[in-house]
Amino acid sequence: MEDSESQMLSDEEQTPEPLLGSLDIFLFSLIAGLLIYWFFFRKKPEPVPEMKPFTPVTQQIRETSFIEKMKKTNRNVVVFYGSQTGTAEEFANRLAKDAQRYGMKGMPTDPEEYDMSELSRLKEIPNSMAVFCMATYGEGDPTDNAQEFYDWMQGTDDDLAGVNFAVFGLGNKTYEHFNATGKYTDKRLAELGGNRVFDLGLGDDDSNLEEDFISWKEQFWPAVCEFFGVEATGEDSSIRQFELVVHNDINMNEVYTGEMGRLKSFQTQKPPFDSKNPFLATVTGNRKLNEGGNRHLMHIELDITDSKIRYDSGDHVAVYPTNDAAVVNRIGERLGVDLDTVISLKNLDEESNKKHPFPCPTTYRTALTHYLDINNTPRTNVLFELAQYASDPQEQENMRKMASASPEGKALYHSWVLDSERNILAILEDLPSLNPPIDHLCELLPRLQARYYSIASSSKVYPTSIHICAVVIEYTTKTERVFKGVATNWLKNKEVTDNGHKHTVPMYVRRSQFRLPFKPSNPIIMIGPGTGIAPFMGFIQERAWQKEQGKEVGETILYFGCRHKNEDFLYQQELEEFERAGVLTQLNVAFSRDQEHKIYVQHLLKKNKEQLWKLIHSNNAHIYVCGDARNMARDVHTAFYEIAEEVGSLTHTQAVDYFKKLMTKGRYSQDVWS
């Protein structure tokens, strides 16, 4: 072939002729002209439009203007919520519902969905009011859905004169910045000229958030009535928000089976992955970490290959667990219903953005398994609404009493529900005359939330894998029932292969501020007893990787604590190997119960006070604390104050101030939980 081609070329070279004659040129020009006309001057056919739902202009306005929506639907109370775990949203729904009892119309609203710069226009609506249920998240931060509103408040100088408002904050006193977002919202709205209708409420989740909310609410509504000159309608009956639709003849491909957002999103996975579109990660590792004792501490590995998910050491992984099938079945049996009935709960308020309380259509079984929190103690509003379905007058009276703000009612709720840890199944079992319709129960129960875990790996070492370190929650309650943590027991049972079946976990990554220093040469001091070791496994892996890259890596010091050396020294082999390799320059372990008097991480800190003060004060060391907020984090704080006083010769006030400044500079970071 090559020979004949070269032969033809040489022949052509010998007898050159013009390639095109006159006639050829004429015909070529004619064809070119026709083609140009065809492409540029012909009437183009109409493109076939992509089939999208029609969105009228009025709907577009409604989607961004809560003022226009309130006017259109005759609302005069808007209840905004900044919610991370669903509690603030639940409180907002309850307040919006309560408004009807006072002759007002409420609208629960996510600030992320609307243009909050319209707040100054609220005075256009007569007798109107904005209520804010604002949770504080992390280190005094607003929740994700309230971040834009928070930024707007910080930057605006809008005049809010004539805008009536009230704020209820949700926080936890074990954290340093208790209720920071609620406090800031209340203060800032007043600074901008807003009219405070009722005092700021501060709920404390470390004590009794529900009780704090009820006590505030009981005083809030009378103050609102007085302010607007209205009276309670006297209607204390249950008000349904959703109506039941039973689907007797439906294509099962149109039925949700546990997806968070898009139907069939678990069958056809499409990035990006987030809270509404989690990635189904395959479980590739599941091992018990502790050698003995009556607890189960576990290490789980999730495969994120092909997900395009990126993470950094210190980030959190969120997983969506499912409820125990046995508990779901017992609820169905107790209420005498077919759990496989396909239903939708449809909002009676057609203008509401929230069309359903959870993805619909679905089955009762799916709702109770994937979407509803059936394991935690129900809040008082659930008891109040369900009381009407108790045929025994005494049981009905007790349920209503527990939902009241009376001291006797609060005490009964505290002892019978909270202290006894009765979930909805336990309540149904212990109140035999209580027979609520299952659809109303599904309407009232809060959503099952994602669970967050500090990632126990470094993406530099494990780019396609995320590791979790957790302790399985299981114990006996005062009513002799076994309480099992939803997520940890679900994860524990996720074996790597189960008769060839690969287990998966719906997950996504949440970014955190818990970060290694930008300069690897900065020393780091890590304090993480128990499962608080998790993010530090990622940190140490990353420091080892940095060392391998030839970077200068500063001192890497770990303070770990557990009960017994031979039982729950988590990652012992790995940590001792890192120490031998010189990656961990110091491994300090407090075994709290291996001797008569208990030794904790804070005691070891005090023991090494001179070295620690030098690292912090002279060598620019970064401090990281992970674990229990209620006791450990506070005790570690105190230990550092004492070190600054004893070695640095600071007064107590100066010491507190010193570490506050370190926090502001990002040199004292906490990843703690209560």
Side-chain angles (χ1 to χ4, degrees):
M1 182 73 179
E2 285 177 6
D3 288 342
S4 62
E5 280 183 10
S6 59
Q7 180 64 45
M8 284 165 66
L9 282 170
S10 61
D11 288 344
E12 283 168 9
E13 282 166 9
Q14 287 168 14
T15 55
E17 284 183 10
L19 290 170
L20 297 170
S22 305
L23 184 62
D24 295 327
I25 291 165
F26 171 76
L27 289 169
F28 180 82
S29 303
L30 185 64
I31 292 163
L34 287 167
L35 285 170
I36 289 164
Y37 174 82
W38 171 257
F39 277 106
F40 293 100
F41 299 102
R42 70 190 171 93
K43 187 184 175 186
K44 290 182 173 68
E46 291 290 320
V48 179
E50 194 182 333
M51 293 302 287
K52 287 184 180 173
F54 172 65
T55 308
V57 175
T58 53
Q59 189 178 323
Q60 288 171 0
I61 292 168
R62 275 207 313 273
E63 282 172 359
T64 58
S65 173
F66 68 89
I67 297 293
E68 295 306 322
K69 183 167 182 177
M70 287 176 76
K71 287 178 177 178
K72 188 178 188 308
T73 57
N74 296 316
R75 313 292 172 116
N76 56 354
V77 178
V78 58
V79 191
F80 294 105
Y81 55 85
S83 188
Q84 198 73 27
T85 62
T87 308
E89 181 181 359
E90 187 192 323
F91 284 2
N93 282 324
R94 285 162 68 176
L95 286 169
K97 209 170 177 181
D98 283 347
Q100 292 183 53
R101 298 192 172 107
Y102 299 91
M104 304 175 90
K105 284 190 82 178
M107 182 173 90
T109 304
D110 183 346
E112 195 172 36
E113 292 181 3
Y114 292 94
D115 178 4
M116 293 303 289
S117 66
E118 288 203 327
L119 194 57
S120 58
R121 288 185 58 204
L122 189 63
K123 55 181 170 280
E124 295 173 14
I125 298 168
N127 294 330
S128 62
M129 170 176 63
V131 186
F132 296 84
C133 291
M134 305 299 285
T136 297
Y137 162 70
E139 296 299 305
D141 303 315
T143 58
D144 293 345
N145 77 311
Q147 185 66 57
E148 281 182 38
F149 169 55
Y150 190 86
D151 294 343
W152 173 79
M153 281 194 292
Q154 287 184 312
T156 190
D157 56 1
D158 283 11
D159 181 8
L160 298 187
V163 174
N164 303 313
F165 77 90
V167 180
F168 182 81
L170 296 83
N172 188 311
K173 273 207 170 114
T174 58
Y175 292 86
E176 175 139 358
H177 307 280
F178 173 61
N179 255 315
T181 305
K183 288 173 182 174
Y184 178 77
T185 304
D186 182 71
K187 173 174 153 281
R188 187 67 183 132
L189 294 177
E191 284 172 354
L192 292 168
N195 187 19
R196 188 185 287 110
V197 173
F198 188 61
D199 296 339
L200 167 68
L202 296 175
D204 179 17
D205 200 27
D206 187 47
S207 176
N208 190 334
L209 188 59
E210 176 72 10
E211 194 175 299
D212 294 338
F213 178 62
I214 287 174
S215 300
W216 179 81
K217 195 160 68 89
E218 288 292 314
Q219 295 174 292
F220 166 72
W221 283 117
V224 169
C225 288
E226 191 180 332
F227 183 86
F228 290 110
V230 295
E231 287 182 14
T233 58
E235 287 180 29
D236 227 14
S237 60
S238 166
I239 302 163
R240 289 293 299 263
Q241 197 179 343
F242 298 90
E243 66 174 339
L244 171 67
V245 178
V246 177
H247 304 283
N248 293 316
D249 185 21
I250 189 168
N251 181 344
M252 292 308 284
N253 285 325
E254 296 169 10
V255 177
Y256 282 87
T257 56
E259 303 94 329
M260 293 302 144
R262 181 173 55 85
L263 188 65
K264 303 293 175 197
S265 60
F266 288 160
Q267 280 94 320
T268 52
Q269 294 254 278
K270 293 176 187 171
F273 297 105
D274 53 28
S275 58
K276 293 191 174 64
N277 182 36
F279 176 69
L280 278 184
T282 303
V283 177
T284 52
N286 183 347
R287 63 186 170 97
K288 190 178 178 184
L289 289 169
N290 50 319
E291 299 291 326
N294 54 8
R295 297 186 304 160
H296 184 102
L297 293 126
M298 59 188 173
H299 173 86
I300 307 282
E301 296 183 11
L302 305 176
D303 184 7
I304 56 166
T305 306
D306 299 330
S307 67
K308 295 187 178 165
I309 289 173
R310 302 281 176 268
Y311 74 95
D312 289 307
S313 302
D315 283 343
H316 300 129
V317 59
V319 303
Y320 281 106
T322 58
N323 287 311
D324 186 343
V327 177
V328 172
N329 287 332
R330 279 163 66 194
I331 291 173
E333 286 162 15
R334 168 64 180 79
L335 296 177
V337 295
D338 176 5
L339 291 176
D340 296 312
T341 305
V342 181
I343 57 113
S344 287
L345 288 182
K346 192 177 160 195
N347 203 321
L348 291 163
D349 174 9
E350 290 181 3
E351 297 298 329
S352 173
N353 280 9
K354 190 177 184 178
K355 301 300 177 195
H356 313 282
F358 44 77
C360 289
T362 191
T363 63
Y364 287 126
R365 186 182 304 284
T366 299
L368 293 169
T369 303
H370 294 272
Y371 299 138
L372 299 171
D373 185 346
I374 60 174
N375 207 41
N376 279 321
T377 51
R379 298 195 186 278
T380 56
N381 66 305
V382 177
L383 300 180
F384 175 81
E385 298 266 358
L386 295 182
Q388 62 185 306
Y389 303 115
S391 55
D392 182 306
Q394 189 59 54
E395 288 183 0
Q396 187 173 120
E397 188 190 327
N398 283 341
M399 289 181 78
R400 291 192 190 279
K401 191 187 284 180
M402 285 189 282
S404 74
S406 71
E408 192 188 350
K410 285 177 180 177
L412 184 60
Y413 176 71
H414 211 276
S415 63
W416 198 79
V417 178
L418 297 182
D419 283 354
S420 302
E421 297 184 74
R422 280 182 170 90
N423 60 20
I424 193 63
L425 175 61
I427 286 169
L428 289 168
E429 287 175 342
D430 293 346
L431 298 176
S433 84
L434 179 61
N435 286 295
I438 192 168
D439 61 291
H440 198 179
L441 181 66
C442 289
E443 174 181 324
L444 294 169
L445 290 173
R447 283 292 295 268
L448 181 61
Q449 298 295 326
R451 304 307 204 255
Y452 297 99
Y453 297 97
S454 303
I455 295 175
S457 53
S458 164
S459 60
K460 299 288 188 290
V461 182
Y462 298 100
T464 60
S465 182
I466 283 178
H467 301 177
I468 294 171
C469 170
V471 58
V472 176
I473 308 295
E474 188 171 330
Y475 57 87
T476 304
T477 69
K478 287 180 180 176
T479 63
E480 296 303 311
R481 292 177 169 95
V482 176
F483 177 89
K484 290 184 172 186
V486 173
T488 54
N489 280 278
W490 171 75
L491 282 170
K492 177 190 170 186
N493 295 323
K494 296 272 182 185
E495 296 298 334
V496 176
T497 51
D498 191 356
N499 293 328
H501 170 71
K502 288 184 177 179
H503 284 284
T504 55
V505 168
M507 53 73 69
Y508 65 96
V509 166
R510 184 176 71 180
R511 295 283 172 192
S512 121
Q513 299 302 312
F514 204 68
R515 288 278 179 270
L516 277 168
F518 181 71
K519 286 183 181 174
S521 57
N522 283 123
I524 63 170
I525 301 158
M526 303 169 285
I527 301 119
T531 55
I533 184 77
F536 303 136
M537 291 307 295
F539 279 15
I540 297 163
Q541 288 166 11
E542 193 142 327
R543 297 282 267 197
W545 177 83
Q546 287 170 338
K547 223 173 175 184
E548 282 170 15
Q549 302 299 303
K551 291 179 181 172
E552 185 196 336
V553 176
E555 286 191 63
T556 304
I557 297 167
L558 175 67
Y559 285 83
F560 174 67
C562 60
R563 294 176 183 179
H564 303 283
K565 183 175 183 177
N566 296 329
E567 279 185 14
D568 51 0
F569 188 169
L570 307 184
Y571 300 108
Q572 180 179 356
Q573 251 182 304
E574 292 96 319
L575 292 172
E576 288 174 350
E577 184 53 48
F578 280 127
E579 190 180 28
R580 276 193 295 274
V583 175
L584 255 184
T585 39
Q586 217 178 306
L587 173 59
N588 307 280
V589 188
F591 303 109
S592 63
R593 301 180 191 184
D594 273 353
Q595 60 285 310
E596 226 174 280
H597 58 287
K598 290 184 178 176
I599 296 175
Y600 296 114
V601 284
Q602 61 267 25
H603 300 130
L604 299 188
L605 291 171
K606 288 295 296 293
K607 205 173 158 187
N608 298 330
K609 57 187 179 181
E610 281 86 6
Q611 180 213 16
L612 287 169
W613 181 249
K614 188 184 174 191
L615 284 167
I616 297 162
H617 193 61
S618 306
N619 297 357
N620 210 31
H622 287 233
I623 302 164
Y624 301 92
V625 183
C626 182
D628 162 52
R630 191 178 284 111
N631 300 308
M632 184 276 298
R634 282 180 175 177
D635 293 340
V636 165
H637 249 23
T638 304
F640 277 121
Y641 295 156
E642 289 171 0
I643 289 168
E645 290 164 40
E646 292 166 21
V647 188
S649 303
L650 304 184
T651 65
H652 181 69
T653 310
Q654 287 172 329
V656 171
D657 213 40
Y658 183 90
F659 283 99
K660 270 191 177 166
K661 278 178 183 160
L662 286 191
M663 283 183 177
T664 308
K665 289 176 184 171
R667 279 184 53 208
Y668 192 122
S669 305
Q670 297 185 99
D671 181 1
V672 292
W673 53 85
S674 63

